[in-house]
Every structure is written in C-alpha cells, then in structure tokens.
Amino acid sequence: MDSQNTFDIFIVATPGLEDMLLAEVTEKGFANPVASPGGITVQGGWPEVWRANLQLRGASRVLARIGSFMAFHLAQLDKRARKFPWGDVLRADVPLRVQVTTKASRIYHAGAATQRIETALRESLGVMISPEAALVLKVRIDDNVVTISLDTSGEALHKRGHKEAVGKAPMRENLAYLMLRQTGYTGTETVVDPMCGSGTFVIEAAEIAMGLNPGRSRHFAFEDLSSFDADQWAAMRDTPTTSTPLRFYGSDRDAGAVRMSRMNAERAGVADAVTFENHAAGELTPPDGPPGLVMVNPPYGGRIGNKKLLYPLYGTLGQTLLTRFKGWRVGLVTSEPPLAKATGLPWKPQGPAIAHGGMKVWLYQTPPLR
C-alpha cells in the first residue's frame, strides 16, 4: 500500500457532535465525507491520513482501514492473516498492540482471534507484540468480514502537545473547538471566557484566528509506519501562519488557573494574542471593541461537587453578562439544565447531549444579548 493508493479513513468524533466534525472535514476538502454514529468516513491515501491528523481540530482519532477479508472460522482467519501484506504498512522494529472485536460472526471469541492475528504478525513479519505499544492495530469481525484498521494518531488528538498544566475537570481541546464552531465562531471575533480554567477555549480561539494547525507540535503513530514519507510530511507541516488583530481574554478567580493558562498559551505560541486575569466572574467587564462571544465551562454538579452551592455562581454570571455584555453571544457548557436556567439568560432551544468526561453535557447558546 503506497501513498498513492486510496482507502477508507475513519475520523473519530465526539458522540453528539458528528455533524460539527462533518462540517469541518468538508471545509478542509477531504473526499467523499460520510457521517455515521461515532465519526466520519472519507476516501484518501496516506497523505490524507497525515493531513487529517495535522489539521482537523474536532477529530478524536484517525483510523486508516488498510484491508479486509472474509473469515468463517479461526483456521481461515489464521491463513488469511498470514497472507495479508503487513509489510506494506508495518515495520518489524516497531512494537504493536492488537485489539479485536467480534459481532454477529462465526468467530465469536475475540481472545482466540487476537491470538491468531498476533501469531501471524510475529511469524510472517517478525513484529514484536506488546500490550504497552503505542501503535494499535484494530480488527473488527462483523458478519464474518474481518476489517483491519490502524490507529494512526497514537495519543488522542485533543493532546495538541502544548497543554502541560491542567486544572480540575479540563475541557478537551477538540471538544472545545467543536463547541466554538457550534456557536458560529470562525476566528473573526473576540472570545472571552470568565471561568477559563487552564485556558482551553481562549487558546483554541486564538489558534483558529492565527491559522495554526492543531497537530503542529506533536508526534503521531503514523510516523512509525513503513508507509511514512518524512520529507513529504515535513513539507505538509511547514505551513505559514497569520497574525491576528484580535485579542482573546480569559479570567478565573483561581490564581493558579491563571498561571496555568499563561504557561499553556506560551507553549502554544499564542501568548501575544491572549490576556489572562485573576478575578471572579462577577467582576468581568467587556474588552474594548465590537461584541463577540462569551464562552464558558463553569463548574457543575457531576463534575465538581454539590450543585446547590452553584446556583448563586450561575446567577451572578448571568446578571453580569445581561448588564454589561449587550450585543455579545453566550455559549455555556453544563450537565445541569436547572443551572443554565439559573443564569436568567435567553437561551435558544436546548441542543443534543454531548459526551464529556463520562457524563452528558449540553451547550447552551444565546442570540446577541439585548
């Protein structure tokens, strides 16, 4: 399988935000995008795999579907796995982990299937199998069809390589992007976060405005494949960035969170476009310039603790925004609809639930405040 061949590429989405990821994938020009529960399938070769990992802000992972065959019993699986052209993609010197799932197939024992595939890899290519390996081969046996995919990302894509300092219950970068996108943010307006935590919304907004690729600073699993072309990848990664006249603002009553945010912004290369201050949400005032977007992920019951103590906080936030932020839109993330209601803000109809940190959350949005 060389870089010119095309195959299915599955781009994993946050459940509930597939439509937002589909919009980004389409915008970035990937071929034949099709949405399904859990992600988007596109067509492409290895350069598209690299580009998806480098450029897509909303993706969780990128899987390359490198082949498939039929198998009705373990002996047949063993025989066909040994004939599979593993060497076109895998390197013998890179450890590998194998994950098998089975559904509605005559081969129903995932453990036995895993053993057969691992043995075929060891004996046909000399691959070292390790449960700690960063490179993961995913095998799905569904209706007797064996589909073989590689996780080309390695670490999940929300790990941009910049945020070393995180607070309690951090917002993942890819989820922050999808939520910003859902509010209509495109990188052409100011964003303010009055409970910024480790700065994710503010830094993500600044990166979008500056045209920075989210994967510019990190290593990917595909760099350890035999199909990898280092020169072509270097040329793809070396893209110009733009400056922005916009500024982005975060604040938090926790001085430690403000320090973390500043360090994270420095590592991300956006420190000149962001300002972080230490004060409570009730002290928030709008920056100079036209109205923009207030984006906030406040504490909520399942994430922080006793939600009864949070009603005054939400009420103060809502009153501050209604009084001082005329013309601004608001996006607010919470797992507790009554807390959103406690703000007194004019929310649009509630959207779909979004999976975040093992719970369901909702993104509440307002029109421009009057």
Side-chain angles (χ1 to χ4, degrees), residues 18 40 49 81 129 152 162 167 193 216 255 261 287 291 300:
E18 289 90 348
I40 315 298
V49 169
I129 304 297
T152 67
H162 313 129
D193 183 349
R216 64 194 180 277
S261 296
Y300 34 85

Side-chain angles (χ1 to χ4, degrees), residues 331-352:
L332 180 144
V333 183
T334 185
S335 66
E336 307 286 347
L339 286 173
K341 188 176 181 181
T343 63
L345 291 167
W347 300 119
K348 296 179 181 178
Q350 185 175 336

Side-chain angles (χ1 to χ4, degrees), residues 75-97:
Q76 195 171 45
L77 176 67
D78 181 80
K79 183 178 180 181
R80 293 186 173 173
R82 288 172 186 273
K83 288 184 177 179
F84 193 83
W86 302 111
D88 291 355
V89 181
L90 301 176
R91 285 168 34 186
D93 62 324
V94 177
L96 184 69
R97 182 158 38 111

Side-chain angles (χ1 to χ4, degrees), residues 292-350:
L293 172 68
V294 176
M295 193 72 192
V296 60
N297 180 36
Y300 34 85
R303 181 178 140 223
I304 297 297
N306 185 351
K307 69 180 179 183
K308 289 181 181 177
L309 302 176
L310 298 176
Y311 282 92
L313 176 68
Y314 278 68
T316 299
L317 173 65
Q319 192 57 42
T320 300
L321 296 177
L322 286 167
T323 303
R324 301 175 189 165
F325 281 76
K326 307 290 186 189
W328 288 69
R329 305 188 323 284
V330 181
L332 180 144
V333 183
T334 185
S335 66
E336 307 286 347
L339 286 173
K341 188 176 181 181
T343 63
L345 291 167
W347 300 119
K348 296 179 181 178
Q350 185 175 336

